[in-house]
Amino acid sequence: MKIQSYELYEVAIPTRRRHVWATSTVDVGSGYLLIKLISDDGTEGWGECTAMAEWGGDFGVYYGETRKTCRIIFEEFLFPAIEGCDPFEIAVIHDKMDKAVRGYPYAKTGVDMAVYDMLGKALDKPVCKLLGGQYRDRIELGHSLGINLSIEEAVEEAVMVQQTGFHMVKIKGGWDPARDLELLRRVRKEVGPEMHIIVDANQAYRSAKEAIQWGQRMDEYNLFFMEQPVEGLEQMAQVTDMLRVPVCADESCWTPTDALNLLKYKGADFFSIYVAKPGGLYKGRVIASIAEAAICCNVNGSGEFGIGNAACMHLAASSKCINLPCMIPVTHVDGHPGQPPVYSFIDDIITKPFEYEDGCLLLPEGPGLGVEIDMDKIRKYSI
Ligand SMILES: [Mg+2]
């Protein structure tokens, strides 16, 4: 079996509403590149590059990508490097991509997802079984309250998601710790003691000391954990050392090397693992394996469509260390009963919405990523 050809699509789906965090400037979902790889025996695999121009690691590393840069990188570097490769040699494929061009994890993620989808279809196995096995058949979800919501809107939404079965809400913060504390206090008052509440500052607290001072006050309202309060390993380690509340690394945890350094220098208590940050499922599993030694983790998405959401679920299902609710912004489909009320898109490019039950997404069944692509929708939303 050999990777023989490809098709590319650029797609944007309207969002239910804007979702903003401290460092975001571009609207989620304003256009992604979809990659279809085709093998010499006609097997197809789909991948998604959910590139974000302003999303990256600490201090400007892992530069932002866009759907246009993903297209150029794929056509000029990645496909020539992997053309003719055996899709069963996923490690070799990553090595070839990394030698062809440094960086560009979103573009590489699209290839990685498509190769895994193709492999699963060729073997008639779900992708999680190619990643180590299926530890769980459902993924517990958390819900993210955008920083653009007013206190009243955020409190109302937290109550609403609790009523639909969620056990964790994330407060997007970072611009003003006093506002974050006040929102935490108000949400805690409304949702009671059982609900997990986290604050994600997206690196935006101005110093480790500021994060520590406000984090200690947040502890009073039983903050479950604080996500990426500050920028950089050194400051993250200071906050982790000083706070009783656990600290989760997101922007500081892009690559397996980041994960090793976070462990070595005690830069976090938890990891937020993505499919896209390290460049796909293969390296996401490497981070999960590193984390299994000592760390609690979740898998978080960044506004994926159905292909990417399925990949996030397969990574979460196959990783033993995923024991925190995951932020997977699954697509809302109007009229589908039981859809979780998460922010996301008003439609999707897959034929069947994901199943949702008691605050959990059910892992899609079927070979590969377990999703079927709706070509009419791809045409409808092409840009
Ligand atoms: Mg985060």
Side-chain angles (χ1 to χ4, degrees):
M1 200 175 174
K2 286 186 170 63
I3 296 169
Q4 192 173 61
S5 59
Y6 67 85
E7 291 170 16
L8 301 180
Y9 301 89
E10 292 179 38
V11 173
I13 302 177
T15 46
R16 185 168 70 88
R17 66 140 187 256
R18 289 189 77 214
H19 181 72
V20 178
W21 60 93
T23 51
S24 67
T25 54
V26 181
D27 283 353
V28 169
S30 49
Y32 297 146
L33 180 73
L34 306 182
I35 297 173
K36 179 163 91 171
L37 292 179
I38 305 151
S39 72
D40 57 347
D41 70 357
T43 310
E44 295 177 355
W46 283 85
E48 207 178 272
C49 309
T50 54
M52 291 191 183
E54 84 288 45
W55 171 247
D58 289 328
F59 307 120
V61 293
Y62 320 128
Y63 309 109
E65 292 165 68
T66 69
R67 69 175 192 280
K68 294 290 185 196
T69 65
C70 286
R71 176 184 275 274
I72 290 168
I73 292 297
F74 176 81
E75 288 185 319
E76 295 195 4
F77 296 93
L78 302 183
F79 189 75
I82 65 160
E83 187 178 5
C85 281
D86 179 348
F88 283 84
E89 296 192 305
I90 186 76
V92 174
I93 286 170
H94 271 278
D95 192 49
K96 283 177 184 280
M97 290 198 291
D98 289 343
K99 281 186 175 138
V101 60
R102 287 183 183 231
Y104 300 102
Y106 280 102
K108 290 172 183 174
T109 293
V111 173
D112 168 281
M113 260 185 226
V115 171
Y116 271 108
D117 191 37
M118 177 185 276
L119 278 180
K121 284 172 179 157
L123 295 166
D124 196 25
K125 293 277 182 201
V127 163
C128 63
K129 297 206 175 184
L130 310 176
L131 294 170
Q134 186 178 335
Y135 278 101
R136 49 190 72 83
D137 66 357
R138 58 195 56 211
I139 315 302
E140 191 180 356
L141 294 179
H143 175 70
S144 185
L145 303 167
I147 200 169
N148 51 321
L149 298 181
S150 69
I151 296 256
E152 297 306 325
E153 287 169 331
V155 171
E156 195 181 306
E157 187 152 310
V159 171
M160 189 259 288
V161 297
Q162 185 184 37
Q163 285 165 353
T164 55
F166 278 54
H167 300 290
M168 187 169 97
V169 283
K170 168 189 281 198
I171 292 170
K172 283 289 194 188
W175 287 339
D176 177 4
R179 172 263 183 198
D180 303 342
L181 176 69
E182 174 60 9
L183 180 53
L184 170 63
R185 186 187 73 76
R186 292 278 308 278
V187 172
R188 173 60 73 208
K189 190 166 162 241
E190 293 302 321
V191 301
E194 301 295 324
M195 187 86 158
H196 292 316
I197 309 175
I198 64 179
V199 169
D200 182 359
N202 287 105
Q203 309 167 302
Y205 291 146
R206 288 168 299 182
S207 67
K209 286 195 172 170
E210 180 175 74
I212 292 161
Q213 283 165 2
W214 288 94
Q216 283 165 343
R217 296 179 67 181
M218 290 175 191
D219 195 9
E220 200 183 315
Y221 301 100
N222 196 16
L223 184 64
F224 185 39
F225 62 85
M226 183 180 268
E227 185 168 322
Q228 196 71 44
V230 284
E231 186 161 17
L233 183 54
E234 195 179 339
Q235 292 202 93
M236 285 288 285
Q238 285 175 40
V239 180
T240 304
D241 182 42
M242 291 300 292
L243 275 191
R244 196 191 71 92
V245 171
V247 174
C248 178
D250 186 1
E251 284 89 336
S252 291
C253 185
W254 272 63
T255 64
T257 309
D258 289 342
L260 284 171
N261 282 329
L262 283 162
L263 280 184
K264 187 174 173 189
Y265 298 105
K266 298 185 167 54
D269 300 289
F270 301 158
F271 290 171
S272 161
I273 304 177
Y274 282 44
V275 174
K277 285 188 297 186
L281 289 157
Y282 179 74
K283 290 183 181 176
R285 267 303 284 135
V286 174
I287 294 180
S289 299
I290 291 167
E292 263 158 35
I295 292 258
C296 295
C297 301
N298 54 6
V299 169
N300 291 317
S302 45
E304 284 82 357
F305 298 152
I307 302 167
N309 281 324
C312 290
M313 280 192 268
H314 280 281
L315 178 61
S318 64
S319 302
K320 196 176 172 184
C321 62
I322 303 302
N323 45 20
L324 303 169
C326 299
M327 297 289 165
I328 299 176
V330 68
T331 305
H332 175 84
V333 178
D334 282 328
H336 177 71
Q339 275 288 338
V342 293
Y343 85 86
S344 200
F345 306 100
I346 60 162
D347 204 349
D348 206 338
I349 49 156
I350 54 175
T351 54
K352 203 168 147 245
F354 297 109
E355 300 284 325
Y356 169 72
E357 203 176 276
D358 299 330
C360 296
L361 276 180
L362 308 192
L363 187 72
E365 287 174 4
L369 293 170
V371 291
E372 227 176 275
I373 307 306
D374 187 333
M375 290 309 296
D376 288 338
K377 293 285 176 67
I378 287 189
R379 278 186 283 273
K380 180 176 175 184
Y381 295 115
S382 275
I383 46 174

